[in-house]
Amino acid sequence: MNNEIPVQMIGPQGEVMAHAVDACVHCGFCLPACPTYALLGDEMDSPRGRIVLMKEVLEGSLPLADAAPHLDRCLGCQGCVTACPSGVPYGELITAFRGWSEPRRQRSPLDRAKRAAILKILPAPKVFSLAARVGQHTKPLAPVLPAALRAPLDLLPEQVPAMQPLPQVTRARGPRRGRVAFLAGCAQQALAPNFNAATLRVLARNGIEVVIPEGQGCCGAAALHTGARDEALRLVRQNLAAFHPDDYDAILSNAAGCGAGLKEYPAVLHGLPDEARARALAAKVQDISEFLAGLLRAGELEPFLPASRPLTVAYHDACHLAHAQGVRAAPRELLRAIPGVTVAEVPEGDLCCGSAGTYNLEQPELANSLGVRKARNILSTRPDLIASGNIGCHTQIQSHVRRAGSRVPVLHTVEVLDLAYRGEL
Amino acid sequence: MTPRKTALFPGSSAPLPRSASTPDNALATELTRRLGPHKVLSRLSERLNYRYDAIQFGATPLCVVLPESTADVVTAVRAARAAGVPIVGRGAASGLSGGAAPAQPSVVVSFTRMTRLEIFPERREARAQAGVVTLAVTERARPFGLIYPPDPASFRTSTIGGNLGENAGGPLCFKYGVSGDYVRALEWVDAEGEVHELTREAYDLAGLLIGSEGTLGLITEASLRLTPPPQFTRTLMASFADVGACAQAVSRAIATGAVPAKLEFMDQACVNAVEDFLRLGLPREAGALLLVDTDGDDLDTVEEERALVEAACLEAGGTVRRAVSDAESAALWQARRSVSPALGRIRPQRMNEDIVVPRSALAEVVREIRALGDASGLPLVQFGHIGDGNLHPNILFDPRRESPEAVHDLAHRIALVAIRHGGVLSGEHGIGTMKRPFMREAVDPLTLAAFRDVKRALDPAGALNPGKVLPDEEGEPHAHP
């Protein structure tokens, strides 16, 4: 798309944005992949429409305030990236744009406070756990609370589990075949501590030593995708200091959003001094399912015990796994490697569940419509189990599946593998 | 900070944008009053996004209507008519001729929310509102053992209304025909805002509306013919030293009685573009590559047809590779499907031609176009549906590096090559604004006069999608695309 974005005034992130706008030929192949277009049916809430809006704002011919509502509705799911025949790096564009535009936004004091609170609480597991407990007790009040406070309460599980301390080093069981660093994640430590516990058990069982490097923090994705670029840069640099890629066979994450966040570091630091270091780190990052599927393909994965009865597992593709990281086959291969398990494909599987980082807190109505649709699609496969690889999707899907009246267990992929190893599936 | 300040860069000379939170013209106000704010877009940020199709940017609309029923379309047309404002219909705007990009400030009627779709398996028919996505018809019909064969490359995105407006084709059209061949009946709104239902009896007025690119009326619903899908498909790929041999093989195969479902051709520049992109192991040295599917319900016949094509290719000096499995067949077709992204990596923009020439002239036409491309210095690739003689020469360009005039000039020369060899300007993408300047050379004056009579009869005020298809009349100010 022709553009006259004044790159020299914006700097390296301006280059990132102008390059993405250039690449778009407004062919419209992104339309069916976009959840908000599916819901709203208008151009401004489609990927190519948003690219036009960002271009016009950057060129100075459209006020940011006019474009903002449509840009805010983007989930950042990157479904359009997978669908785009021209390879437009839309994810980089919207992230860079949010970083550029946030300091220029007019927001109400309440809005500012809410955003600041989300960005403070989400990445701090202990604070999050405390907040979740307080929230749990507040739940009965939900019907009388304003919508802004109701959304986060709606998403809280019935029980907030106790935090589980994580060992800095988990030794391999049997002969050591590898050594990996693990990003422990933030909110999921509070909401679903078993994700990490199961991950450590499965890796150890396969002879992999796991180190949780000291000094690591939140991956920064939540800050980055909501436009808090300075905060994101601080977290990125903190992790660059904590993780030494040369010391490990891989750097693993079991949260799709965090893994994608780590892989984004080179784009975030584009044109800045640490870019090369970010590249080295990103090159080592793998999702837990990619790493385990690598062992499976090499014939090195410990075999699973068969399920106690034939099980249909509905596998949900987290956007940040399928679209942002291109990881689709690995989790399915792993699940199918469990004797007795059949993997069911979910209709409209490429459409976001509506969780999308902080989206379900900021756009609760659209997030809710997508959540209802996702639950209906998943349940249409009549699953015995639902598996996914991201805490956000997990929370959203569990909440909507329960509201649809189903008690089907919702698990992380690695929890299913862990159960299979223990003969409890 | 005010929005005005946030949008402007220091020292920028861009004009100050205007932001309207309420309708900023009388027509938008009137339409909002009648249809409600949910169906009318009037802010600048909203209207800016209804300027384009997949090839061109046009004028910013005065307002955009998102109808949910035929009654909403009638309201929009009548209000626009009363205000003397042009009306431009629009599906998913994935067209490649500028058809849905308004040539002047207009009311854009965007059909994307008119998505009611009913399947009537007992009469092998679908009834679709204009905004139904093309692929959705087959998806909904498949459980009844039926499909909707027209397969434009954009079928995941494009809408039935848009397909009918442009009479879209696709790789399958050699055997199965184009969109218009599947229409049994149409509901449409005329320039006065009256609703009509047309079948194909008596005067085939439906046929006139199909492919009229929204210049004669707005199609709101269609009854579409469905067919059972073929049970078997077989694929082969053949490479040739030059395009002449490829065209010869195709002609021979057809002469022997084979009716392949798909016959797709890629020239050497196109093959190399795909190979640079994906490294599929395509023969870079080949002057032309041919991809063929034969299909049907009787496996022997399907194999026999493939054998006929294979023999014709070998006779013409080609090298043939048969796909032995569905996976291999999919791998071979990946080359063809990857043309668009591959081209996007060479230059960010392209001018997509859509000429049709007699198959006997194909080798010469491709050679002449190649020579024109080489002489122009612009990157040019050729591919297309060779069974129909439908070629897509694509001029690739970067507006920062290459002059739009040079691109337009080359496109014009290519059109003239087609016309000189007895061809036409459009096979499946329509005339729109892109090929409109060439219409005087492509259509004789008497036929053009007949076209103008038809247009005047159905749209006396010239309100429907002005500036498309028909060139300006002598004496009118010339509007260059």
Side-chain angles (χ1 to χ4, degrees):
Chain A
M1 198 182 293
N2 281 345
N3 72 80
E4 277 151 35
I5 296 170
V7 170
Q8 65 291 347
M9 290 183 186
I10 306 173
Q13 292 294 302
E15 279 168 32
V16 171
M17 293 190 275
H19 165 69
V21 173
D22 265 345
C24 173
V25 296
H26 37 97
C27 66
F29 278 35
C30 55
L31 299 176
C34 178
T36 54
Y37 183 78
L39 291 178
L40 302 168
D42 62 46
E43 278 286 331
M44 312 79 70
D45 297 298
S46 80
R48 74 173 167 183
R50 290 189 178 106
I51 293 176
V52 170
L53 292 177
M54 287 187 265
K55 169 186 110 76
E56 300 280 338
V57 172
L58 291 167
E59 286 175 346
S61 47
L62 181 73
L64 174 60
D66 282 13
H70 305 295
L71 300 176
D72 287 350
R73 276 182 214 141
C74 170
L75 297 112
C77 70
Q78 305 205 36
C80 54
V81 174
T82 309
C84 177
S86 308
V88 175
Y90 176 89
E92 291 178 14
L93 171 62
I94 187 96
T95 300
F97 186 89
R98 283 177 172 168
W100 171 85
S101 62
E102 194 52 39
R104 295 165 172 82
R105 288 287 289 271
Q106 271 192 311
R107 290 190 184 273
S108 69
L110 180 68
D111 207 12
R112 271 181 201 285
K114 187 176 133 194
R115 290 170 58 81
I118 291 173
L119 288 182
K120 273 275 171 292
I121 294 172
L122 212 55
K126 286 188 182 130
V127 184
F128 189 93
S129 183
L130 184 69
R133 267 159 227 289
V134 173
Q136 234 186 332
H137 293 294
T138 323
K139 257 193 152 177
L141 299 173
V144 296
L145 290 175
L149 294 176
R150 223 163 38 224
L153 289 181
D154 277 352
L155 289 165
L156 278 182
E158 290 139 38
Q159 294 268 304
V160 179
M163 293 268 290
Q164 293 180 15
L166 290 167
Q168 206 200 325
V169 177
T170 305
R171 301 258 168 248
R173 265 175 63 176
R176 194 178 95 174
R177 287 193 295 177
R179 185 166 183 260
V180 300
F182 181 59
L183 179 82
C186 7
Q188 77 169 20
Q189 287 192 52
L191 282 175
N194 193 48
F195 286 13
N196 285 351
T199 301
L200 297 178
R201 282 193 295 270
V202 168
L203 286 169
R205 186 174 195 114
N206 279 287
I208 308 294
E209 180 176 288
V210 189
V211 180
I212 300 179
E214 241 181 307
Q216 65 169 283
C218 163
C219 69
L224 194 63
H225 295 158
T226 49
R229 187 169 158 81
D230 289 344
E231 173 68 1
L233 277 176
R234 190 183 66 74
L235 293 164
V236 167
R237 293 203 168 106
Q238 182 184 341
N239 284 327
L240 282 182
F243 287 90
H244 301 282
D246 293 345
D247 297 351
Y248 307 103
D249 299 321
I251 297 169
L252 300 186
S253 161
N254 62 3
C258 308
L262 293 174
K263 287 179 179 175
E264 254 184 305
Y265 282 9
V268 181
L269 292 174
H270 176 66
L272 297 177
D274 292 329
E275 189 178 349
R277 209 177 146 71
R279 243 171 245 296
L281 181 138
K284 276 277 166 82
V285 175
Q286 284 187 45
D287 183 70
I288 178 72
S289 64
E290 277 180 286
F291 183 80
L292 292 173
L295 295 181
L296 177 70
R297 288 168 198 157
E300 291 172 5
L301 193 80
E302 288 290 315
F304 299 107
L305 297 172
S308 56
R309 62 190 171 96
L311 288 176
T312 300
V313 178
Y315 176 72
H316 161 76
D317 278 303
C319 293
H320 279 97
L321 263 188
H323 302 308
Q325 301 188 56
V327 177
R328 288 168 184 272
R332 291 174 168 81
E333 285 171 30
L334 290 166
L335 292 168
R336 283 199 193 102
I338 305 171
V341 163
T342 311
V343 177
E345 291 300 322
V346 177
E348 294 191 318
D350 276 344
L351 216 55
C352 179
C353 67
S355 168
T358 59
Y359 193 85
N360 48 14
L361 304 178
E362 300 196 35
Q363 303 279 344
E365 284 173 15
L366 290 174
N368 185 56
S369 302
L370 289 169
V372 170
R373 191 160 167 163
K374 182 58 77 180
R376 195 173 54 224
N377 279 323
I378 288 177
L379 293 174
S380 77
T381 67
R382 307 190 167 280
D384 300 304
L385 274 180
I386 299 166
S388 85
N390 193 45
I391 180 67
C393 311
H394 176 90
T395 314
Q396 171 88 343
I397 289 170
Q398 191 163 49
S399 152
H400 283 280
V401 163
R402 292 291 170 267
R403 256 185 262 173
S406 164
R407 306 303 300 171
V408 178
V410 185
L411 300 172
H412 191 290
T413 308
V414 85
E415 287 185 300
V416 182
L417 306 182
D418 182 42
L419 288 172
Y421 276 134
R422 290 139 65 113
E424 293 172 17
L425 197 62
Chain B
M1 218 191 298
T2 66
R4 180 169 289 186
K5 280 180 194 157
T6 62
L8 287 173
F9 296 90
S12 163
S13 59
L16 287 179
R18 186 169 51 154
S19 164
S21 57
T22 51
D24 61 357
N25 58 64
L27 178 57
T29 310
E30 173 66 9
L31 279 166
T32 308
R33 191 180 65 76
R34 284 169 183 246
L35 295 169
H38 182 58
K39 296 179 194 168
V40 182
L41 306 177
S42 58
R43 290 175 178 225
L44 181 63
S45 54
E46 298 167 330
R47 293 184 284 122
L48 280 175
N49 268 313
Y50 288 84
R51 282 177 293 168
Y52 51 78
D53 67 0
I55 204 88
Q56 201 168 42
F57 271 74
T60 304
L62 289 169
C63 72
V64 179
V65 176
L66 295 160
E68 288 169 12
S69 65
T70 302
D72 291 343
V73 179
V74 168
T75 304
V77 170
R78 288 189 177 159
R81 190 179 153 70
V85 171
I87 300 147
V88 180
R90 186 181 187 278
S94 57
L96 293 166
S97 62
Q104 46 184 279
S106 313
V107 170
V108 167
V109 181
S110 171
F111 285 95
T112 48
R113 289 183 186 163
M114 283 180 60
T115 54
R116 197 179 62 244
L117 170 62
E118 292 163 285
I119 307 290
F120 303 99
E122 67 286 359
R123 50 176 204 261
R124 292 189 174 180
E125 194 173 288
R127 181 80 180 175
Q129 276 187 312
V132 168
V133 170
T134 312
L135 177 62
V137 182
T138 284
E139 281 181 343
R140 287 277 298 282
R142 207 182 274 284
F144 303 104
L146 297 167
I147 59 163
Y148 173 68
D151 65 338
S154 58
F155 73 156
R156 289 173 196 284
T157 298
S158 60
T159 61
I160 290 297
N163 283 180
L164 295 180
E166 302 290 325
N167 201 6
L172 279 174
C173 67
F174 176 66
K175 181 171 181 179
Y176 292 97
V178 291
S179 300
D181 296 324
Y182 288 83
V183 172
R184 285 200 175 132
L186 283 183
E187 181 197 80
W188 63 292
V189 175
D190 70 15
E192 307 277 328
E194 300 292 333
V195 183
H196 307 269
E197 177 81 23
L198 295 173
T199 58
R200 310 302 292 260
E201 287 116 29
Y203 296 137
D204 186 7
L205 257 186
L208 195 56
L209 281 170
I210 294 162
S212 71
E213 308 186 29
T215 62
L216 302 180
L218 297 171
I219 295 170
T220 47
E221 267 188 55
S223 293
L224 305 169
R225 194 160 57 84
L226 305 173
T227 67
Q231 282 185 50
F232 304 100
T233 303
R234 291 293 178 264
T235 302
L236 72 78
M237 179 190 272
S239 58
F240 300 89
D242 60 72
V243 180
C246 176
Q248 205 180 12
V250 169
S251 290
R252 274 190 199 171
I254 293 170
T256 58
V259 188
K262 298 178 184 172
L263 279 158
E264 294 291 306
F265 141 85
M266 294 159 73
D267 79 349
Q268 190 168 24
C270 188
V271 169
N272 277 299
V274 173
E275 195 53 21
D276 286 344
F277 175 36
L278 289 178
R279 317 238 171 247
L280 298 169
L282 301 174
R284 285 180 179 275
E285 67 291 346
L289 208 61
L290 179 69
L291 268 160
V292 182
D293 264 6
T294 57
D295 71 7
D297 293 336
D298 176 49
L299 186 55
D300 289 343
T301 313
V302 176
E303 289 284 15
E304 196 183 314
E305 281 195 317
R306 179 162 71 166
L308 287 174
V309 178
E310 183 172 358
C313 290
L314 293 172
E315 242 178 276
T319 309
V320 175
R321 202 177 134 194
R322 284 167 168 242
V324 293
S325 65
D326 287 352
E328 198 183 337
S329 160
L332 294 182
W333 277 104
Q334 194 191 354
R336 176 63 180 87
R337 277 201 314 275
S338 307
V339 168
S340 286
L343 300 185
R345 273 155 206 259
I346 297 173
R347 289 289 193 282
Q349 292 196 27
R350 59 182 171 133
M351 173 80 114
N352 185 349
E353 278 284 356
D354 178 32
I355 54 174
V356 184
V357 296
R359 271 196 309 274
S360 56
L362 212 58
E364 184 52 27
V365 166
V366 170
R367 227 181 336 265
E368 283 183 34
I369 292 173
R370 177 78 266 150
L372 288 173
D374 290 346
S376 74
L378 291 161
L380 179 138
V381 303
Q382 303 186 68
F383 56 94
H385 318 307
I386 196 169
D388 309 270
N390 187 183
L391 277 184
H392 296 310
N394 270 236
I395 310 164
L396 312 177
F397 66 104
D398 180 344
R400 284 162 214 248
R401 288 161 64 178
E402 284 119 1
S403 102
E405 287 74 27
V407 173
H408 190 263
D409 183 53
L410 179 55
H412 192 180
R413 286 162 190 269
I414 291 171
L416 291 176
V417 172
I419 294 164
R420 202 164 54 243
H421 287 276
V424 296
L425 292 180
S426 169
E428 54 179 355
H429 297 158
I431 302 296
T433 52
M434 304 292 284
K435 279 154 273 180
R436 178 173 172 259
F438 318 144
M439 278 291 275
R440 273 206 197 85
E441 289 144 308
V443 180
D444 69 84
L446 278 176
T447 307
L448 205 52
F451 284 176
R452 290 194 202 283
D453 287 344
V454 170
K455 170 76 174 167
R456 266 191 291 270
L458 285 168
D459 180 25
L464 295 173
N465 208 3
K468 307 295 169 65
V469 186
L470 297 177
D472 294 325
E473 294 205 58
E474 300 298 333
E476 263 183 79
H478 183 64
H480 201 273

